[in-house]
Short mmCIF file of all heavy atoms in Angstrom, two decimals:
data_model
loop_
_atom_site.label_atom_id
_atom_site.label_comp_id
_atom_site.label_asym_id
_atom_site.label_seq_id
_atom_site.Cartn_x
_atom_site.Cartn_y
_atom_site.Cartn_z
N MET Q 1 58.85 -75.03 56.11
CA MET Q 1 59.09 -75.55 54.78
C MET Q 1 59.18 -77.06 54.85
O MET Q 1 59.00 -77.64 55.90
CB MET Q 1 60.37 -74.92 54.22
CG MET Q 1 60.24 -73.42 54.09
SD MET Q 1 59.32 -72.94 52.65
CE MET Q 1 60.61 -72.98 51.44
N PHE Q 2 59.43 -77.68 53.74
CA PHE Q 2 59.09 -79.10 53.69
C PHE Q 2 60.24 -80.06 53.39
O PHE Q 2 60.08 -81.25 53.52
CB PHE Q 2 57.99 -79.28 52.63
CG PHE Q 2 56.86 -78.32 52.78
CD1 PHE Q 2 56.91 -77.06 52.22
CD2 PHE Q 2 55.75 -78.68 53.50
CE1 PHE Q 2 55.85 -76.17 52.36
CE2 PHE Q 2 54.68 -77.79 53.65
CZ PHE Q 2 54.74 -76.54 53.09
N GLY Q 3 61.36 -79.56 52.93
CA GLY Q 3 62.48 -80.45 52.66
C GLY Q 3 62.41 -81.18 51.34
O GLY Q 3 63.07 -82.21 51.15
N TYR Q 4 61.61 -80.67 50.40
CA TYR Q 4 61.50 -81.34 49.10
C TYR Q 4 62.67 -81.04 48.17
O TYR Q 4 62.91 -81.75 47.21
CB TYR Q 4 60.23 -80.87 48.36
CG TYR Q 4 58.93 -81.35 48.95
CD1 TYR Q 4 58.03 -80.46 49.51
CD2 TYR Q 4 58.61 -82.70 48.93
CE1 TYR Q 4 56.83 -80.89 50.05
CE2 TYR Q 4 57.40 -83.13 49.46
CZ TYR Q 4 56.52 -82.23 50.02
OH TYR Q 4 55.34 -82.66 50.53
N VAL Q 5 63.36 -79.94 48.46
CA VAL Q 5 64.31 -79.42 47.48
C VAL Q 5 65.72 -79.95 47.75
O VAL Q 5 66.45 -79.38 48.56
CB VAL Q 5 64.30 -77.87 47.51
CG1 VAL Q 5 65.10 -77.32 46.37
CG2 VAL Q 5 62.87 -77.37 47.43
N ASP Q 46 65.42 -77.07 51.89
CA ASP Q 46 64.84 -75.99 51.10
C ASP Q 46 65.59 -74.68 51.35
O ASP Q 46 65.80 -73.88 50.44
CB ASP Q 46 63.36 -75.79 51.45
CG ASP Q 46 62.56 -77.07 51.23
OD1 ASP Q 46 63.11 -78.01 50.66
OD2 ASP Q 46 61.39 -77.12 51.64
N PHE Q 49 68.87 -74.43 49.44
CA PHE Q 49 68.64 -74.03 48.06
C PHE Q 49 68.44 -72.52 47.98
O PHE Q 49 69.02 -71.84 47.13
CB PHE Q 49 67.40 -74.76 47.52
CG PHE Q 49 67.11 -74.48 46.07
CD1 PHE Q 49 67.89 -75.03 45.07
CD2 PHE Q 49 66.04 -73.67 45.70
CE1 PHE Q 49 67.61 -74.78 43.73
CE2 PHE Q 49 65.76 -73.41 44.37
CZ PHE Q 49 66.55 -73.97 43.38
N ALA Q 162 47.74 -72.29 44.48
CA ALA Q 162 49.20 -72.38 44.39
C ALA Q 162 49.82 -71.00 44.26
O ALA Q 162 50.93 -70.76 44.75
CB ALA Q 162 49.60 -73.26 43.21
N PHE Q 165 50.83 -69.30 47.57
CA PHE Q 165 52.07 -69.80 48.16
C PHE Q 165 53.27 -69.43 47.30
O PHE Q 165 54.34 -69.12 47.81
CB PHE Q 165 51.99 -71.32 48.33
CG PHE Q 165 53.12 -71.86 49.16
CD1 PHE Q 165 53.09 -71.72 50.53
CD2 PHE Q 165 54.21 -72.45 48.56
CE1 PHE Q 165 54.16 -72.17 51.30
CE2 PHE Q 165 55.27 -72.92 49.32
CZ PHE Q 165 55.24 -72.79 50.70
N LEU Q 169 56.75 -67.27 48.40
CA LEU Q 169 58.16 -67.62 48.24
C LEU Q 169 58.88 -66.60 47.36
O LEU Q 169 60.05 -66.32 47.55
CB LEU Q 169 58.28 -69.02 47.65
CG LEU Q 169 59.51 -69.79 48.09
CD1 LEU Q 169 59.59 -69.84 49.60
CD2 LEU Q 169 59.51 -71.18 47.53
N LEU Q 187 61.75 -68.42 42.05
CA LEU Q 187 61.15 -68.71 43.36
C LEU Q 187 59.64 -68.88 43.25
O LEU Q 187 59.04 -69.67 43.97
CB LEU Q 187 61.50 -67.60 44.36
CG LEU Q 187 62.93 -67.66 44.88
CD1 LEU Q 187 63.30 -66.38 45.62
CD2 LEU Q 187 63.12 -68.85 45.80
N TYR Q 188 59.03 -68.13 42.33
CA TYR Q 188 57.59 -68.27 42.14
C TYR Q 188 57.26 -69.72 41.75
O TYR Q 188 56.40 -70.36 42.35
CB TYR Q 188 57.08 -67.32 41.05
CG TYR Q 188 55.58 -67.43 40.83
CD1 TYR Q 188 54.70 -66.62 41.54
CD2 TYR Q 188 55.05 -68.36 39.93
CE1 TYR Q 188 53.32 -66.74 41.36
CE2 TYR Q 188 53.68 -68.48 39.75
CZ TYR Q 188 52.82 -67.66 40.46
OH TYR Q 188 51.47 -67.79 40.29
N HIS Q 189 57.99 -70.23 40.76
CA HIS Q 189 57.68 -71.59 40.31
C HIS Q 189 58.16 -72.64 41.29
O HIS Q 189 57.58 -73.72 41.37
CB HIS Q 189 58.19 -71.81 38.89
CG HIS Q 189 57.26 -71.18 37.91
ND1 HIS Q 189 56.04 -71.73 37.58
CD2 HIS Q 189 57.32 -69.99 37.25
CE1 HIS Q 189 55.41 -70.93 36.75
NE2 HIS Q 189 56.15 -69.87 36.54
N LEU Q 190 59.18 -72.32 42.06
CA LEU Q 190 59.56 -73.24 43.13
C LEU Q 190 58.42 -73.34 44.14
O LEU Q 190 58.04 -74.43 44.57
CB LEU Q 190 60.84 -72.77 43.82
CG LEU Q 190 61.28 -73.66 44.97
CD1 LEU Q 190 61.78 -74.99 44.44
CD2 LEU Q 190 62.37 -73.01 45.81
N GLY Q 191 57.87 -72.18 44.50
CA GLY Q 191 56.76 -72.16 45.46
C GLY Q 191 55.56 -72.92 44.92
O GLY Q 191 54.92 -73.69 45.64
N ARG Q 192 55.27 -72.70 43.65
CA ARG Q 192 54.14 -73.39 43.03
C ARG Q 192 54.37 -74.90 43.08
O ARG Q 192 53.49 -75.67 43.45
CB ARG Q 192 53.99 -72.91 41.59
CG ARG Q 192 52.80 -73.52 40.86
CD ARG Q 192 52.67 -72.95 39.46
NE ARG Q 192 51.42 -73.38 38.85
CZ ARG Q 192 51.29 -74.48 38.11
NH1 ARG Q 192 52.34 -75.24 37.87
NH2 ARG Q 192 50.12 -74.82 37.61
N TRP Q 193 55.58 -75.29 42.71
CA TRP Q 193 55.91 -76.71 42.68
C TRP Q 193 55.81 -77.32 44.08
O TRP Q 193 55.23 -78.40 44.27
CB TRP Q 193 57.31 -76.89 42.08
CG TRP Q 193 57.71 -78.31 41.91
CD1 TRP Q 193 57.47 -79.11 40.84
CD2 TRP Q 193 58.41 -79.12 42.88
NE1 TRP Q 193 57.96 -80.37 41.07
CE2 TRP Q 193 58.55 -80.40 42.30
CE3 TRP Q 193 58.92 -78.89 44.14
CZ2 TRP Q 193 59.18 -81.44 42.96
CZ3 TRP Q 193 59.54 -79.93 44.81
CH2 TRP Q 193 59.68 -81.19 44.22
N ILE Q 194 56.38 -76.64 45.07
CA ILE Q 194 56.35 -77.16 46.45
C ILE Q 194 54.90 -77.30 46.92
O ILE Q 194 54.52 -78.31 47.51
CB ILE Q 194 57.13 -76.23 47.41
CG1 ILE Q 194 58.63 -76.31 47.14
CG2 ILE Q 194 56.86 -76.61 48.87
CD1 ILE Q 194 59.48 -75.42 48.03
N TYR Q 195 54.10 -76.29 46.63
CA TYR Q 195 52.70 -76.33 47.08
C TYR Q 195 51.98 -77.53 46.47
O TYR Q 195 51.26 -78.25 47.16
CB TYR Q 195 52.00 -75.03 46.71
CG TYR Q 195 50.59 -74.94 47.23
CD1 TYR Q 195 50.35 -74.62 48.56
CD2 TYR Q 195 49.51 -75.20 46.40
CE1 TYR Q 195 49.05 -74.57 49.05
CE2 TYR Q 195 48.21 -75.15 46.89
CZ TYR Q 195 47.99 -74.83 48.21
OH TYR Q 195 46.71 -74.78 48.69
N LEU Q 196 52.20 -77.75 45.17
CA LEU Q 196 51.51 -78.85 44.50
C LEU Q 196 52.05 -80.20 44.97
O LEU Q 196 51.28 -81.15 45.17
CB LEU Q 196 51.66 -78.72 42.98
CG LEU Q 196 51.00 -77.48 42.37
CD1 LEU Q 196 51.20 -77.46 40.87
CD2 LEU Q 196 49.52 -77.43 42.70
N ALA Q 197 53.37 -80.28 45.17
CA ALA Q 197 53.95 -81.54 45.65
C ALA Q 197 53.38 -81.86 47.03
O ALA Q 197 53.00 -83.00 47.31
CB ALA Q 197 55.47 -81.44 45.72
N ASP Q 198 53.30 -80.85 47.87
CA ASP Q 198 52.79 -81.07 49.21
C ASP Q 198 51.31 -81.45 49.18
O ASP Q 198 50.88 -82.32 49.94
CB ASP Q 198 52.99 -79.78 50.03
CG ASP Q 198 52.79 -80.03 51.51
OD1 ASP Q 198 53.36 -81.02 52.02
OD2 ASP Q 198 52.06 -79.26 52.15
N ALA Q 199 50.56 -80.81 48.27
CA ALA Q 199 49.13 -81.14 48.17
C ALA Q 199 48.96 -82.59 47.72
O ALA Q 199 48.12 -83.33 48.24
CB ALA Q 199 48.45 -80.20 47.18
N ARG Q 200 49.79 -83.03 46.78
CA ARG Q 200 49.71 -84.41 46.30
C ARG Q 200 50.10 -85.38 47.42
O ARG Q 200 49.48 -86.43 47.59
CB ARG Q 200 50.61 -84.59 45.08
CG ARG Q 200 50.75 -86.01 44.55
CD ARG Q 200 49.39 -86.56 44.09
NE ARG Q 200 49.49 -87.95 43.66
CZ ARG Q 200 49.48 -89.00 44.47
NH1 ARG Q 200 49.40 -88.83 45.78
NH2 ARG Q 200 49.56 -90.22 43.99
N ASP Q 201 51.11 -84.98 48.17
CA ASP Q 201 51.59 -85.81 49.27
C ASP Q 201 50.51 -85.99 50.33
O ASP Q 201 50.36 -87.06 50.91
CB ASP Q 201 52.84 -85.15 49.87
CG ASP Q 201 53.65 -86.12 50.69
OD1 ASP Q 201 53.57 -87.33 50.42
OD2 ASP Q 201 54.36 -85.67 51.61
N MET Q 232 53.18 -79.71 36.94
CA MET Q 232 54.37 -79.54 37.79
C MET Q 232 55.64 -79.55 36.95
O MET Q 232 56.58 -78.79 37.22
CB MET Q 232 54.42 -80.64 38.85
CG MET Q 232 53.38 -80.44 39.93
SD MET Q 232 53.29 -81.81 41.10
CE MET Q 232 54.79 -81.57 42.05
N SER Q 235 56.28 -76.18 35.56
CA SER Q 235 56.92 -75.28 36.52
C SER Q 235 58.42 -75.56 36.60
O SER Q 235 59.23 -74.64 36.68
CB SER Q 235 56.30 -75.42 37.91
OG SER Q 235 55.24 -74.50 38.06
N LEU Q 236 58.77 -76.84 36.58
CA LEU Q 236 60.20 -77.20 36.63
C LEU Q 236 60.93 -76.65 35.41
O LEU Q 236 62.05 -76.14 35.51
CB LEU Q 236 60.38 -78.71 36.71
CG LEU Q 236 59.97 -79.39 38.01
CD1 LEU Q 236 60.20 -80.89 37.91
CD2 LEU Q 236 60.76 -78.84 39.19
N MET Q 239 61.50 -73.03 35.84
CA MET Q 239 62.59 -72.79 36.78
C MET Q 239 63.93 -72.99 36.09
O MET Q 239 64.87 -72.22 36.29
CB MET Q 239 62.51 -73.78 37.95
CG MET Q 239 61.45 -73.45 38.96
SD MET Q 239 61.27 -74.79 40.16
CE MET Q 239 62.79 -74.61 41.08
N LEU Q 263 64.70 -82.40 42.00
CA LEU Q 263 63.26 -82.15 42.09
C LEU Q 263 62.43 -83.17 41.30
O LEU Q 263 61.42 -83.67 41.81
CB LEU Q 263 62.92 -80.72 41.64
CG LEU Q 263 63.52 -79.60 42.50
CD1 LEU Q 263 63.05 -78.24 42.00
CD2 LEU Q 263 63.15 -79.77 43.96
#
Side-chain angles (χ1 to χ4, degrees):
Chain Q
M1 298 281 276
F2 311 85
Y4 289 115
V5 189
D46 302 351
F49 183 73
F165 190 77
L169 211 54
L187 285 167
Y188 181 91
H189 282 284
L190 179 70
R192 183 177 189 268
W193 184 88
I194 290 179
Y195 184 79
L196 296 180
D198 194 47
R200 174 62 183 82
D201 198 26
M232 287 174 73
S235 269
L236 290 179
M239 283 172 72
L263 297 183

